[in-house]
């Protein structure tokens, strides 16, 4: 007769529940796999399937009761780790959208906004275009598989345990948030430089010919120059997007290792 104790049942549930919390938290914070346009049932189902595939490859969970205070702490740690992984990838997409926002403002399209269901806010149309372009390229290079591979590797870098998370990981995550503006400016630099030259040229023209109506000439000229430079720079953006995705996943694993207390 086979007898199953309550301790064995708790261990089986913990072996599935704690990885599921980390994966589900990633699905919540990650900007592509966790997009709000994807139904919640699909995201939960995907997290469930990934947990079933990954749980059997993980080491045994710590001998901690699920209903105890330590068990709740372990569950909270898995949610924090998953959110940190997803937030790191969200920073990459946000930086690309920031570059489009800067371009749109410089072109005079700051008034042309589009509702973004992901952020539940009005965003400039050029920023939305750059974001959609980044998402399409993300799937084109199998970025979703790269994220899943990074997620699986995170269980090796920071296994499920009752050990408290180190503060260095949170500090690195906060510092990485500041890279949104740096990356956004660097990606939009070609268009910004071209528009600066156009604005300087129009300033010289207005000094040479004061009767020139800058409001009638400057706005269309700025739009034409902005769209022309943006069109010419699009083929050169793809390698930078791929590099940002790779660096984002590497940074996510680095943050996980810092949370584990690694130097």
């Amino acid at each position: 007769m086979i007898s199953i104790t309550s301790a064995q049942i708790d261990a089986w549930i913990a072996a599935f529940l704690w990885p599921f919390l980390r994966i589900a938290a990633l699905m919540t914070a990650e900007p592509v796999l966790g997009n709000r346009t994807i139904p919640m049932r699909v995201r939960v189902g995907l997290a469930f399937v990934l947990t079933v595939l990954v749980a059997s490859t993980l080491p045994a969970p710590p001998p901690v009761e699920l209903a105890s205070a330590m068990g709740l702490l372990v569950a909270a740690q898995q949610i924090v780790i998953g959110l940190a992984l997803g937030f790191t990838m969200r920073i990459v997409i946000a930086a690309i959208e920031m570059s489009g926002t800067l371009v749109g403002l410089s072109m005079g399209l700051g008034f042309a906004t589009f509702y973004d269901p992901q952020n539940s806010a009005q965003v400039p149309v050029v920023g939305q275009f750059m974001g959609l372009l980044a998402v399409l390229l993300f799937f084109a290079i199998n970025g979703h598989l790269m994220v899943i591979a990074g997620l699986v590797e995170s269980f090796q870098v920071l296994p499920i345990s009752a050990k408290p998370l180190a503060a260095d990981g949170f500090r690195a995550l906060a510092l990485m948030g500041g890279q949104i503006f740096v990356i956004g400016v660097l990606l939009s630099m070609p268009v910004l430089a071209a528009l600066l030259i156009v604005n300087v040229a129009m300033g010289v023209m207005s000094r040479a010919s004061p009767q020139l109506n800058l409001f009638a000439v400057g706005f269309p000229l700025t739009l034409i120059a902005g769209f022309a430079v943006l069109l010419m720079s699009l083929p050169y953006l793809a390698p930078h997007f791929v590099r940002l995705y790779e660096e984002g996943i590497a940074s996510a694993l680095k943050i996980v290792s810092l949370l584990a207390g690694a130097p």
Side-chain angles (χ1 to χ4, degrees):
M1 180 177 179
I2 300 175
S3 61
I4 300 176
T5 63
S6 59
Q8 291 176 326
I9 296 177
D10 288 342
W12 293 341
I13 296 176
F16 178 85
L17 179 61
W18 286 332
F20 176 77
L21 291 176
R22 183 184 297 194
I23 296 173
L26 172 67
M27 294 296 175
T28 302
E30 208 273 337
V32 179
L33 299 178
N35 195 293
R36 294 185 180 180
T37 58
I38 301 177
M40 181 60 69
R41 294 180 180 178
V42 175
R43 284 183 281 172
V44 174
L46 181 58
F48 181 85
V49 172
L50 289 176
T51 305
V52 172
L53 297 175
V54 172
S56 60
T57 64
L58 302 180
V64 178
E65 295 184 4
L66 290 174
S68 63
M70 187 60 67
L72 296 178
L73 177 61
V74 174
Q77 287 181 353
Q78 301 312 306
I79 295 176
V80 170
I81 295 170
L83 291 177
L85 291 171
F87 182 73
T88 305
M89 294 306 301
R90 184 177 291 272
I91 289 175
V92 176
I93 301 296
I96 296 174
E97 292 178 348
M98 174 63 71
S99 67
T101 300
L102 294 175
V103 170
L105 293 175
S106 300
M107 293 170 55
L109 287 179
F111 63 89
T113 59
F114 186 82
Y115 180 75
D116 183 11
Q118 174 66 21
N119 300 315
S120 299
Q122 297 287 341
V123 297
V125 64
V126 182
Q128 183 71 1
F129 168 74
M130 295 294 288
L132 293 176
L133 182 65
V135 172
L136 291 176
L137 183 61
F138 180 83
F139 285 109
I141 64 172
N142 291 325
H144 54 294
L145 300 181
M146 295 167 59
V147 172
I148 294 175
L151 172 65
V152 175
E153 188 175 350
S154 70
F155 286 100
Q156 307 298 326
V157 177
L158 180 54
I160 300 174
S161 66
K163 179 182 176 181
L165 301 177
D168 291 340
F170 298 103
R171 181 176 179 273
L173 185 62
L175 292 176
M176 188 176 178
Q179 296 298 313
I180 293 177
F181 305 98
V182 177
I183 297 173
V185 171
L186 291 177
L187 289 177
S188 60
M189 191 62 70
V191 182
L192 295 181
L195 293 178
L196 177 61
I197 295 174
V198 171
N199 291 326
V200 171
M202 288 190 298
V204 174
M205 292 170 58
S206 66
R207 295 291 294 177
S209 179
Q211 66 272 18
L212 181 65
N213 189 353
L214 288 179
F215 293 99
V217 179
F219 183 68
L221 187 60
T222 303
L223 285 178
I224 293 173
F227 280 123
V229 177
L230 182 61
L231 180 62
M232 289 186 293
S233 62
L234 284 180
Y236 302 98
L237 291 178
H240 295 289
F241 288 179
V242 174
R243 178 179 56 83
L244 287 176
Y245 292 141
E246 294 175 350
E247 292 180 355
I249 295 176
S251 299
L253 295 176
K254 178 64 176 179
I255 289 174
V256 171
S257 65
L258 292 175
L259 289 174

